[in-house]
């Protein structure tokens, strides 16, 4: 839906203003593809986050019942062990992958890009300059800066995880 709206706006903009084919390719491949990529990653990591949360919460609620009932029914002991392993794995997956942080990061980045695109095409904020080529230049700089910011935030998040010893390797450990 976002892509359709931005494509229509760009078509209208390019009919009214002289736009090079390279700019059209940049808009399609850099802006729209990156926006789609971020929205897709946002959806994927949000699903991972909520599935792990659901497993952790429901497993934590069911586990005491299974343990208590397992005293009377033997096969429930095995079910309690299996549920506890599943809950532990879901907790480890969430701790290692930090899917909650990732989906919020991708959503924030996609929302920023989308807002920037809407401001450009609606001639708002930094895009009130009457020269369309100057507006386009500012738009490109903002989008490239946004892409760089996302990568820097992602790297910073990895560094925080490494500093908290969530991610370690044998090279990081003292001899």
């Amino acid at each position: 839906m976002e892509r359709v709206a931005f494509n229509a706006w760009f078509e209208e903009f390019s009919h009214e203003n002289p736009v090079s084919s390279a700019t059209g390719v940049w808009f399609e491949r850099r802006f729209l593809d990156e926006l789609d990529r971020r929205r897709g990653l946002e959806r994927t990591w949000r699903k991972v986050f909520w599935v792990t949360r659901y497993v952790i919460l429901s497993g934590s609620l069911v586990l005491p019942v299974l343990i208590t009932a397992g005293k009377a029914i033997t096969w429930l002991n095995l079910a309690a062990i299996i549920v506890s392993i599943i809950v532990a794995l879901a907790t480890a997956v969430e701790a290692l992958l930090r899917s909650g942080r990732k989906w919020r990061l991708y959503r924030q980045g996609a929302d920023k890009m989308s807002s920037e695109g809407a401001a450009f095409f609606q001639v708002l904020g930094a895009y009130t300059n009457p020269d369309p080529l100057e507006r386009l230049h500012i738009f490109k700089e903002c989008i490239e800066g946004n892409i760089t910011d996302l990568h820097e935030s992602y790297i910073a998040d990895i560094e925080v995880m490494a500093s908290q010893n969530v991610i370690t390797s044998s090279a990081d450990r003292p001899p």
Side-chain angles (χ1 to χ4, degrees):
M1 185 78 157
E2 244 175 351
R3 187 179 192 101
V4 172
F6 283 127
N7 262 330
W9 276 342
F10 186 74
E11 288 296 321
E12 184 179 311
F13 178 81
S14 61
H15 285 356
E16 295 172 359
N17 304 293
V19 176
S20 70
S21 60
T23 298
V25 170
W26 176 87
F27 183 79
E28 177 77 25
R29 299 288 177 227
R30 190 70 169 160
F31 175 69
L32 292 178
D33 286 355
E34 179 66 14
L35 186 58
D36 286 346
R37 183 184 79 85
R38 288 183 187 191
R39 291 290 184 207
L41 288 168
E42 171 200 348
R43 280 189 298 277
T44 300
W45 285 110
R46 187 177 57 233
K47 286 176 188 173
V48 169
F49 174 77
W50 286 113
V51 165
T52 56
R53 286 294 162 120
Y54 177 77
V55 168
I56 292 167
L57 180 61
S58 59
S60 298
L61 293 172
V62 169
L63 195 55
V65 174
L66 289 175
I67 292 171
T68 304
K71 294 177 182 175
I73 305 169
T74 310
W75 65 271
L76 286 178
N77 284 328
L78 180 61
I81 291 169
I82 292 170
V83 168
S84 65
I85 290 171
I86 291 171
V87 169
L89 287 173
T91 304
V93 164
E94 177 55 32
L96 288 174
L97 296 180
R98 297 171 54 122
S99 56
R101 168 82 176 118
K102 286 181 183 175
W103 82 261
R104 288 180 187 98
L105 181 70
Y106 286 120
R107 180 180 182 153
Q108 180 184 33
D111 287 348
K112 261 177 123 174
M113 284 183 73
S114 184
S115 295
E116 206 66 46
F120 170 72
F121 288 114
Q122 295 175 5
V123 192
L124 301 172
Y127 305 108
T128 56
N129 187 333
D131 181 22
L133 296 179
E134 183 62 29
R135 285 185 10 233
L136 187 60
H137 178 71
I138 294 169
F139 177 64
K140 286 180 178 181
E141 285 181 354
C142 287
I143 294 304
E144 292 299 331
N146 186 287
I147 292 169
T148 302
D149 289 347
L150 178 79
H151 293 290
E152 288 173 358
S153 296
Y154 196 83
I155 289 169
D157 191 47
I158 291 171
E159 289 173 355
V160 166
M161 289 172 54
S163 71
Q164 294 173 348
N165 286 329
V166 174
I167 301 173
T168 59
S169 69
S170 59
D172 295 335
R173 296 183 195 129

